[in-house]
Amino acid sequence: MQLINDIIAVIKTLSIIDFILYFAVLVLMILIITLIYIIKTENYETIEENQTEKPNLVPTIMQEDNAPIDLGEIDLQQIVNTIDENPKPIVDMTSYEAEQEEKAIISYEELLNSAKKQPIHFDEEELIDNEIKVQKVNLEQLANTEINEERPKLEVKLFQYEHEEAFLKALQQLNEILN
């Protein structure tokens, strides 16, 4: 009986704003629980609907005029001809990327070619935390490999004799003009 009297005393001390606040919190909690229940049951319903539908095992593709083609009726030779007519897609590079590729000291293709000539060999291999693979590079083998790259022999001819005489005369004329 004392418990009931205490509850009544607490309710009498509450103002109207307190009643509104507690009522609003209670309604909000009920709405959240209802929303969670609806979402969960909707997921189960969509899964059941997907399982009961008969799947279409033959996919369709679209023709050039956006008309679907059933793959069960398509001619394989037509597909081969279509693939042959369409070349490989060109890699789109921005103007900046193209400029950097041209100005590069070594291009990506040259880097790949040099990697083919001189492969990297590893000494050890270990796993860190059973996830990260770490390999130790054999540096002695890299340092000892001989690169059989023939360097072109350059002949440096700045001037032939006739051109040297003409150059000397031009220098003498310049010297006279300056003095």
Side-chain angles (χ1 to χ4, degrees), residues 102-119:
E102 290 173 7
K103 289 183 178 180
I105 295 172
I106 182 170
S107 69
Y108 182 68
E109 293 170 357
E110 292 172 336
L111 187 63
L112 289 177
N113 291 336
S114 67
K116 290 177 185 175
K117 291 179 185 176
Q118 189 177 17

Side-chain angles (χ1 to χ4, degrees), residues 64 77-89:
E64 293 176 2
Q77 188 62 38
Q78 180 185 1
I79 294 174
V80 171
N81 293 339
T82 305
I83 290 173
D84 289 339
E85 291 172 3
N86 297 331
K88 293 181 181 177

Side-chain angles (χ1 to χ4, degrees), residues 8-21:
I8 292 173
V10 169
I11 291 175
K12 286 183 181 179
T13 59
L14 295 176
S15 65
I16 295 179
I17 295 176
D18 293 333
F19 281 117
I20 294 172
L21 180 65

Side-chain angles (χ1 to χ4, degrees), residues 2 5 11 19 24 41 44 51 56-57 59 64 74 76 79 94 116-118 121 125 132-133 152-153 171 176:
Q2 180 65 24
N5 288 337
I11 291 175
F19 281 117
T41 56
Y44 290 127
Q51 289 175 350
N56 185 7
L57 298 178
E64 293 176 2
I74 196 163
L76 293 178
I79 294 174
T94 63
K116 290 177 185 175
K117 291 179 185 176
Q118 189 177 17
H121 299 284
E125 181 178 311
I132 302 171
K133 183 179 179 182
K153 295 181 180 178
L171 284 176
E176 289 175 6

Side-chain angles (χ1 to χ4, degrees), residues 22-103:
Y22 289 133
F23 180 73
V25 169
L26 182 66
V27 169
L28 184 63
M29 289 175 64
I30 291 171
L31 287 176
I32 290 174
I33 292 171
T34 308
L35 180 66
I36 292 172
Y37 175 75
I38 291 171
I39 291 173
K40 292 289 184 181
T41 56
E42 183 178 325
N43 286 342
Y44 290 127
E45 289 174 2
T46 55
I47 291 172
E48 289 175 4
E49 287 174 3
N50 290 340
Q51 289 175 350
T52 58
E53 290 179 2
K54 185 176 181 180
N56 185 7
L57 298 178
V58 180
T60 58
I61 59 173
M62 302 303 275
Q63 286 182 347
E64 293 176 2
D65 58 352
N66 291 333
I69 302 174
D70 186 15
L71 287 181
E73 302 171 2
I74 196 163
D75 183 25
L76 293 178
Q77 188 62 38
Q78 180 185 1
I79 294 174
V80 171
N81 293 339
T82 305
I83 290 173
D84 289 339
E85 291 172 3
N86 297 331
K88 293 181 181 177
I90 299 172
V91 176
D92 292 333
M93 288 197 302
T94 63
S95 60
Y96 175 76
E97 290 171 336
E99 178 184 349
Q100 292 302 315
E101 181 68 22
E102 290 173 7
K103 289 183 178 180

